[in-house]
Every structure is written in structure tokens, then in C-alpha cells.
């Protein structure tokens, strides 16, 4: 079952996903800045949008909308 699930996604998406999860774990364990987590969410939603563009267009559009929302949040937090 795990092999079927892992073959569903392309290799580049799995690499990006694993790097973002590793970043989350490092941020949680070391109590680093939350901006790294918001940046990881932006990267992950952008990658998901590109991954889903051909097969699931509505999911890709929602992912890009979330990318814009989290980018705006990051911008507002950085301007404080």
C-alpha cells in the first residue's frame, strides 16, 4: 500500500515534501523562527499546484491561492 501511495507522486515532489517536513521538525525541535514554517508552506503549496495542474486543475488553483495568501501573511509579518 505504501508503494502504491509513493508511486502516485513524482520524485521532485517527494523530495520537496521531505525537505519541508525536515524543516518543520528542525524548527519545532530547535524553537527557531516561525517564518521558516510559513516559507515551507509556500514552497509546498506551490509545488503541489504545479504537480496537480494537469490532472486536478481545481486543486492546483486552490493551492496557488493558498500560496498567495501565505505569501501575503509572510510579507505582513516581515513588515512588523
Amino acid at each position: 500500500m505504501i508503494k502504491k501511495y509513493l508511486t502516485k507522486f513524482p520524485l521532485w515532489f517527494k523530495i520537496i515534501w521531505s525537505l519541508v517536513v525536515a524543516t518543520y521538525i528542525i524548527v519545532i525541535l530547535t524553537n527557531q523562527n516561525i517564518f521558516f514554517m510559513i516559507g515551507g508552506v509556500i514552497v509546498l503549496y506551490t509545488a503541489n499546484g504545479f504537480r496537480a495542474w494537469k490532472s486536478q486543475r481545481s486543486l492546483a488553483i486552490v493551492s496557488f491561492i493558498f500560496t498567495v495568501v501565505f505569501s501575503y501573511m509572510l510579507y505582513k509579518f516581515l513588515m512588523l
Side-chain angles (χ1 to χ4, degrees):
M1 179 169 162
I2 294 175
K3 186 176 181 180
K4 182 180 176 183
Y5 183 72
L6 289 177
T7 57
K8 193 165 117 176
F9 300 112
L11 179 62
W12 62 269
F13 183 75
K14 289 185 273 190
I15 291 171
I16 290 173
W17 184 85
S18 61
L19 289 175
V20 170
V21 168
T23 304
Y24 278 8
I25 292 171
I26 290 170
V27 166
I28 289 171
L29 292 177
T30 59
N31 292 328
Q32 292 293 322
N33 205 343
I34 197 161
F35 298 125
F36 294 121
M37 294 182 89
I38 295 174
V41 167
I42 292 169
V43 169
L44 194 61
Y45 275 124
T46 304
N48 190 36
F50 284 122
R51 179 195 62 83
W53 186 256
K54 287 185 181 178
S55 60
Q56 299 170 333
R57 189 65 55 98
S58 61
L59 174 66
I61 291 171
V62 169
S63 293
F64 288 134
I65 289 171
F66 279 140
T67 299
V68 170
V69 168
F70 282 111
S71 297
Y72 180 74
M73 287 173 51
L74 181 64
Y75 172 74
K76 282 299 192 180
F77 280 131
L78 288 176
M79 297 313 276
L80 290 178

